[in-house]
Structures are given as C-alpha cells and as structure tokens.
Amino acid sequence: MLWASYFLAALAVFLAWPAPIALSRARWPARSPFTAMVLWQSIALAGGLSMIGAMLVWGLAPLGDNLVSASIGLWNVLMEQKPAETLGIIHVFALSAATLLGVHLVFTLMLTFIRIQRQRRRHRSMLRLLSSPVKDSPATLVINHPTPVAYCLPGGARSVTVLSDGLLEMLSQEELNAVLTHENAHLQQRHHLLLWAFAAWRSALPWLPTSQLAQVAVTELIEMLADDQALKHVDEGTLVRAIAIVAAGSPAVADTAPSAETRLELPAPDRGTMAEDWSTSVQRLRRLLTPLRPLTALQRAVALGSAGLLLVFPPLLLIAPALPG
C-alpha cells in the first residue's frame, strides 16, 4: 500500500502548488470559462482527497496488504483496544491527521454555509425595511442609494435582484436589461453554490495556494459566464457600457471613452470598491472588447479529460491496493 500513498502525496503536492499557479496565470480560461471552472473544481476536489488519502493509506499500511484488509485490521485494533504501539506511533499520527483534516474540511464547509445563511437572512431583513419592489417585478428590489449597485441575493424561491436608485438613473433601458440578465444568470446557474464551496475551501486551508487562487479565479469565471448569458439577449456594446458604468460609478465612462484602451485605463472609482472587484470588472471589459477565439473541440476535450482524470485518479489509487494481485 505504500506505493499508493507516495503517488497520492505527490499528486497532493502538485495540485497544491504548481497546478493552481499555472492555471491562474493561463490566458485560455477567458476563452472557455465553463471548461476552466470544471478544471478548478477538479483540482480542489482531487487535491483534498489526495491529501487525506495519502495520510490514510500510509497510516493503514502496517495492518494489511490492501485497503480492505487494512481497514479490517484497524477495526480489530480498535475493538480489542490494543495499544498504539501495535500500529506504530508514526502510523497512528498519519491516521489521526487524515481524520482531523477530513473533519476539519467538512466542519468548515458546514460552518461557512451556516454563516452565509445567517448573513443572507440579516440582509433580507434589512431589504424589507430599506427597499421597495419594482412594479410588475416583485423579485427585483430597489434601494435608495446614489451609488450604482446591482447584485443578486440567492434564496431559492425567495431569490431577489437588488438595484439602487443611482443605477436606475445612470442606465438606459437596454443597459438595465443587460444588468438584470447578468444577475439572473448568477441565480439560474447557481453560482452562489460555487462561491460557497470555494469560500469554505479557503477558510479551511488559507495557507494553500489552491484555495487562495481558486477563489479569485472562480469569482472572475462566474462573472464571465453571466456575461456570456447576457450577450444572448443584448448586444456587446450595451453590456460593455453597463459594466463600465456600474464599475466606475459614472455614466461619463461610457459616453466619453472612444476606444477600448481608454475604457480599460480608467482609474478605480473612489467609492470603497474592493480592488479585486475593480480588477474583475477590468478583466470582463478586456474580454468583451478584445474577443478571444473559443477553444477548439480538441482543446476543450483535453481540458475536460484532464479534469476527469484528476477526479478518477485518487479513488483508483485508494482502491487499487484492494484489487487482486
């Protein structure tokens, strides 16, 4: 069983450092956000499973020739209450670490879910007091604020899209439709579930490059996916103007910028916007203003095939020692 633990450890290291760094620096994800999203998810899942699996297999190695017999051996050790020396202190430590890591990841996932749900409940309560529904569209709320604001608040049948007065004053009807289509795409495609999973991953392992880079990349990718959905209903120019106005907080952005370069060189708005939000808006604008060729069928197949292999390989390594021979 030791060879499986070595392979799993090597895979865990690869997925924890070089793989996420290389993917975060690649330019092709903008050409196929969905494919890149699948690959990021496979890296995160396979990385976590590899870390836990490597320690688990190493810890069980002295108890059997394969995973099944070793698990039975561990059960017997526990039931007979044999001392740790029977297994070996190092192997006990490995098993304990695997258990703690697994529990930590699951607990953090649940804790993040509870925290997000509480925040959404408080937010929804505030909206009841500070917002009013749009006529003929009860799922769209308007808050009284001069800053252009647009976001969606997931909640199943209670999901709503929130706009500000400032946004309604700055956007034309076509631009407003682009914003609403974009936000509705977030709700329809369940992007909040992806954000929840990667936020939990980062909270559980904040020191891991995979968790840090993945959360930033996934945030950008879901915006690109929503933009692609919006482009099915509005023209590119309208969507570009809407993004620029919302990001910069002024309709002058779209009116006075005669070229793509001018739009992309605008300073970040001084209205408390997070730097990463502004960076995401710039990436979205650059992608729309300088379209890239979509990935070929072969390139997509290679990327998706790699994602599939990453998901299959760790379980195979865990099961392989249990196979005959």
Side-chain angles (χ1 to χ4, degrees):
M1 293 177 62
L2 291 178
W3 68 268
S5 67
Y6 297 149
F7 276 114
L8 285 169
L11 181 60
V13 172
F14 173 74
L15 296 178
W17 191 263
I21 291 178
L23 184 56
S24 66
R25 294 177 178 176
R27 294 185 178 182
W28 69 262
R31 299 167 60 188
S32 182
F34 175 79
T35 303
M37 183 75 74
V38 172
L39 192 54
W40 271 115
Q41 292 179 75
S42 66
I43 288 175
L45 289 172
L49 185 57
S50 296
M51 283 191 289
I52 297 173
M55 292 183 288
L56 178 64
V57 173
W58 171 263
L60 291 174
L63 298 178
D65 296 330
N66 54 60
L67 192 61
V68 174
S69 62
S71 299
I72 295 174
L74 178 62
W75 176 260
N76 293 333
V77 169
L78 294 175
M79 291 297 98
E80 296 174 10
Q81 298 183 351
K82 294 182 180 180
E85 287 77 6
T86 303
L87 183 58
I89 297 299
I90 296 179
H91 295 282
V92 170
F93 176 79
L95 287 174
S96 300
T99 302
L100 289 174
L101 179 59
V103 171
H104 175 61
L105 292 176
V106 174
F107 178 77
T108 304
L109 186 67
M110 297 174 60
L111 190 63
T112 302
F113 176 78
I114 294 173
R115 175 174 56 81
I116 291 175
Q117 289 298 104
R118 288 177 177 175
Q119 291 175 345
R120 287 176 183 167
R121 282 198 295 268
R122 288 196 297 267
H123 197 152
R124 193 169 278 108
S125 298
M126 293 178 61
L127 286 175
R128 293 194 191 100
L129 300 174
L130 303 176
S131 68
S132 56
V134 174
K135 185 178 180 181
D136 300 327
S137 183
T140 303
L141 304 179
V142 178
I143 57 176
N144 184 15
H145 201 284
T147 300
V149 174
Y151 63 90
C152 56
L153 184 63
R158 298 183 299 167
S159 298
V160 294
T161 299
V162 182
L163 309 174
S164 66
D165 285 338
L167 180 75
L168 296 178
E169 293 175 359
M170 293 181 185
L171 298 184
S172 66
Q173 185 59 50
E174 292 78 12
E175 293 162 354
L176 180 60
N177 291 338
V179 171
L180 290 174
T181 304
H182 175 97
E183 297 302 330
N184 287 335
H186 285 314
L187 295 173
Q188 294 170 0
Q189 298 177 13
R190 304 292 191 271
H191 290 162
H192 57 282
L193 297 180
L194 289 170
L195 293 176
W196 160 49
F198 281 94
W201 180 254
R202 183 170 185 175
S203 297
L205 303 171
W207 47 267
L208 196 66
T210 304
S211 63
Q212 300 171 22
L213 297 173
Q215 188 176 30
V216 174
V218 167
T219 299
E220 292 182 353
L221 289 172
I222 65 172
E223 294 299 330
M224 294 178 187
L225 287 170
D227 286 341
D228 290 343
Q229 182 64 27
L231 286 175
K232 297 179 180 179
H233 303 275
V234 300
D235 63 87
E236 184 179 282
T238 299
L239 181 59
V240 167
R241 290 194 301 274
I243 294 173
I245 291 172
V246 174
S250 172
V253 171
D255 294 337
T256 62
S259 65
E261 291 74 13
T262 304
R263 290 192 185 100
L264 295 179
E265 291 174 359
L266 289 169
D270 183 17
R271 57 184 177 85
T273 304
M274 295 177 61
E276 62 186 37
D277 292 338
W278 177 250
S279 175
T280 298
S281 296
V282 171
Q283 293 297 330
R284 293 168 60 195
L285 287 170
R286 180 176 291 113
R287 178 173 179 261
L288 292 170
L289 293 169
T290 56
L292 301 172
R293 289 186 304 167
L295 294 181
T296 64
L298 178 59
Q299 290 171 325
R300 287 197 304 272
V302 170
L304 293 175
S306 300
L309 288 176
L310 286 177
L311 293 177
V312 171
F313 195 54
L316 284 180
L317 287 175
L318 291 172
I319 296 173
L323 297 176

